[in-house]
Amino acid sequence: MPSPKESSPNSTLMTVKRMSHKVLDHSQLSRTTKSSLFSAISFAVIFFIIIYTDISVSNLPMHTIDLRSHEVLDHNHDHTQVPQEQIESTFITNQSTPQLSIQAKIEELEDEIRDPLVPPENATRVERLVWFRRKLPELEILKSNNLSQQFHGRVLEFLNNGCSLQFYMVWLSPAKSFGERDFLTMDTLFKSHPQGCLMIISNSMDSARGYRILKPLLDRGFKILAITPDLPFLVKNTPAESWLEELKSGRTDPGYIPLSQNLANLIRLAMLYKYGGIYLDTDFIILKDLSGLRNAIGAQSLDSETKIWNRLNGAVMIFDINHPILLDFLEEFATTFNGNKWGHNGPYLVSRVIARLEGSGRSLDYNLTILPPQAFYPLDWHRIHRIFRKPEKGSESRAVEITLNELNARETYAVHLWNKRSRQLAIGEGSVMAGLISEHCVICQDLYVS
């Protein structure tokens, strides 16, 4: 795939923690007193962090990145990157210092705050728009700030690390909810692509907590970066630019589906368009090298009679930088956005666009590859539980062995785990899932071996 220097560039299903609110029978004076006390403590903690961070950051070596070779760059910012070893010394090696302790406590408090991107339940469209306009100042993901404006420079510097392939994931949930199953996708990715580069597009993972989550992979020399996105930059000069402006104006109904799900759909398309590479949801086991695939997307299901695909899925997408179909996807997102239909702006979107191309005979011009379901979705969502079962009889053990051989031998590149259905399932000893993990993991290999 062309490098981003040559040209310009679910899963993600959200785990949403809803707070349970208890009605307390206190007087107004009591509430005011507690609120004042909490505010005073919070101010003191934040003041201490500001002072401490200012001292620490002032000693960090910074350098400017030359971005003039990138055609789509239109920022006039000096982009800076903190060296990895400096991050380690700041966040990890000084774990006994007050800074990390306070940072951890702040993050824990943040994780308890209700996600501002989740609308109130059972709200009407008018009520939801009123709520959304009130929430807009809190939605940092929609803005450019000092950290997000470093995004493009950090991306180019990271991808200049001799990457065999460049991968992207999107995580708009709190870092605290990034669990073992999500880590498993990264783990199996690096088993089959040890020289690959993985970027996690995420505000929450671009933090001390996120760094601690990723540290086991970083310590083994794998190239991985959690990075805060600059959404206005990502959609600039694309059909989605006007959609984002409308959203930020408060005139677009975000719908009852958490906005973060649809922003994740948008970000994956924009990342592939501006930088090229491979997008992955965080609920896969990667089995094989993906370097032989180009401009490819997987079918989720086929028509039982014609054997022609009837639904595609964007949980894995592989595209060259600036591929024209990505612009078509972005235009479809912007012009048909509907926040009240699950999948409308995700798997159904890519299905609609490619179906129209095939119907018009233009798909050949796009050099597209539609892979069969066995490539990424060998098990559909209502059968995924089967690979977690512990075999109880000899016949079941033989069936596990046959399934493992089929998955490893045939053209299955990855297994989608449908986390919304499988996240809470225990991995049974001797199960297909346990076998896949033991064979395809780097770090978690020993955790599931009996």
Side-chain angles (χ1 to χ4, degrees):
M1 297 178 189
S3 163
K5 288 190 174 182
E6 298 176 45
S7 181
S8 60
N10 29 340
S11 316
T12 300
L13 295 175
M14 292 288 298
T15 301
V16 180
K17 182 178 290 185
R18 291 184 170 87
M19 293 296 294
S20 60
H21 299 279
K22 296 182 179 179
V23 179
L24 302 181
D25 185 18
H26 288 298
S27 67
Q28 183 65 39
L29 178 60
S30 176
R31 288 197 301 269
T32 304
T33 303
K34 289 186 177 180
S35 177
S36 301
L37 180 59
F38 180 80
S39 299
I41 294 172
S42 300
F43 178 82
V45 169
I46 293 170
F47 179 80
F48 179 82
I49 292 173
I50 292 171
I51 296 298
Y52 188 95
T53 305
D54 185 60
I55 295 170
S56 300
V57 172
S58 66
N59 295 321
L60 297 182
M62 307 294 280
H63 57 280
T64 301
I65 301 169
D66 185 3
L67 305 179
R68 289 174 294 180
S69 61
H70 201 285
E71 295 180 4
V72 301
L73 177 62
D74 64 348
H75 287 301
N76 293 317
H77 306 291
D78 288 336
H79 299 278
T80 55
Q81 175 79 5
V82 180
Q84 189 63 48
E85 60 271 17
Q86 185 64 54
I87 295 175
E88 289 184 19
S89 65
T90 303
F91 287 138
I92 303 301
T93 59
N94 293 332
Q95 289 191 24
S96 61
T97 66
Q99 182 191 21
L100 186 58
S101 176
I102 293 172
Q103 176 68 24
K105 290 178 181 178
I106 292 294
E107 289 174 343
E108 288 172 3
L109 285 173
E110 289 174 347
D111 282 342
E112 295 301 320
I113 298 174
R114 191 172 188 269
D115 187 344
L117 297 175
V118 179
E121 294 183 8
N122 303 318
T124 65
R125 181 181 182 277
V126 172
E127 291 169 341
R128 193 164 51 239
L129 278 169
V130 171
W131 163 84
F132 184 63
R133 289 166 184 159
R134 189 173 66 250
K135 284 288 183 180
L136 273 170
E138 302 176 29
L139 304 184
E140 295 297 326
I141 187 70
L142 303 181
K143 309 172 189 175
S144 290
N145 56 37
N146 290 337
L147 178 59
S148 68
Q149 286 171 1
Q150 300 175 40
F151 172 76
H152 182 59
R154 293 174 72 191
V155 169
L156 292 188
E157 184 176 43
F158 180 67
L159 295 181
N160 195 31
N161 282 328
C163 308
S164 62
L165 288 174
Q166 50 205 52
F167 295 90
Y168 314 105
M169 297 176 182
V170 180
W171 188 264
L172 301 185
S173 298
K176 184 179 181 180
S177 62
F178 196 95
E180 293 179 358
R181 298 283 170 85
D182 309 296
F183 190 93
L184 178 61
T185 301
M186 301 188 299
D187 198 348
T188 57
L189 171 67
F190 286 116
K191 177 66 179 281
S192 52
H193 306 85
Q195 298 305 313
C197 293
L198 170 62
M199 274 189 285
I200 302 176
I201 316 304
S202 173
N203 297 64
S204 63
M205 291 291 286
D206 190 3
S207 64
R209 183 192 291 275
Y211 182 83
R212 292 195 297 274
I213 292 170
L214 303 178
K215 191 173 186 296
L217 292 167
L218 293 167
D219 287 347
R220 286 164 173 79
F222 295 120
K223 290 171 279 194
I224 181 169
L225 174 71
I227 183 168
T228 298
D230 188 344
L231 189 53
F233 167 73
L234 276 173
V235 300
K236 190 171 182 62
N237 298 324
T238 77
E241 183 176 11
S242 59
W243 176 86
L244 181 62
E245 288 303 315
E246 281 291 300
L247 184 74
K248 290 163 63 176
S249 73
R251 293 189 293 268
T252 295
D253 177 16
Y256 75 84
I257 294 170
L259 181 59
S260 48
Q261 289 189 24
N262 287 315
L263 291 179
N265 290 326
L266 175 60
I267 289 170
R268 73 182 71 178
L269 299 175
M271 285 297 299
L272 288 173
Y273 178 68
K274 292 210 166 179
Y275 300 103
I278 301 174
Y279 168 81
L280 290 168
D281 272 1
T282 62
D283 56 347
F284 276 94
I285 294 182
I286 312 300
L287 306 183
K288 295 182 180 70
D289 184 358
L290 302 178
S291 60
L293 302 178
R294 186 176 180 187
N295 298 324
I297 193 168
Q300 179 180 320
S301 59
L302 305 178
D303 183 275
S304 58
E305 294 182 0
T306 65
K307 303 303 178 185
I308 297 174
W309 69 265
N310 55 20
R311 181 180 299 178
L312 305 178
N313 196 313
V316 181
M317 292 189 288
I318 304 163
F319 284 104
D320 293 344
I321 188 174
N322 291 340
H323 193 284
I325 200 168
L326 294 165
L327 275 183
D328 292 346
F329 289 157
L330 288 164
E331 183 172 8
E332 182 77 6
F333 183 97
T335 57
T336 70
F337 177 81
N338 188 328
N340 293 311
K341 290 183 180 179
W342 185 93
H344 178 83
N345 312 300
Y348 298 137
L349 181 151
V350 296
S351 299
R352 290 195 305 272
V353 171
I354 294 180
R356 284 202 299 268
L357 286 175
E358 292 184 345
S360 66
R362 295 170 54 215
S363 59
L364 293 177
D365 299 335
Y366 281 71
N367 189 29
L368 286 176
T369 299
I370 307 297
L371 296 167
Q374 69 182 41
F376 303 122
Y377 314 101
L379 293 164
D380 53 34
W381 59 268
H382 55 80
R383 292 190 301 147
I384 193 64
H385 64 280
R386 298 179 183 180
I387 67 171
F388 289 79
R389 288 178 181 167
K390 176 182 178 179
E392 300 293 345
K393 299 181 292 187
S395 59
E396 294 177 349
S397 295
R398 287 190 294 274
V400 166
E401 185 177 352
I402 291 171
T403 302
L404 285 170
N405 289 337
E406 288 179 347
L407 290 173
N408 287 318
R410 67 184 185 179
E411 291 300 307
T412 298
Y413 293 93
V415 178
H416 192 219
L417 299 178
W418 308 100
N419 259 2
K420 192 172 184 179
R421 291 279 176 170
S422 70
R423 183 180 290 274
Q424 302 304 321
L425 296 177
I427 300 172
E429 181 182 344
S431 65
V432 172
M433 186 72 173
L436 290 174
I437 292 174
S438 66
E439 185 170 348
H440 296 285
C441 270
V442 177
I443 294 172
C444 56
Q445 181 173 345
D446 295 333
L447 299 180
Y448 302 95
V449 176
S450 58

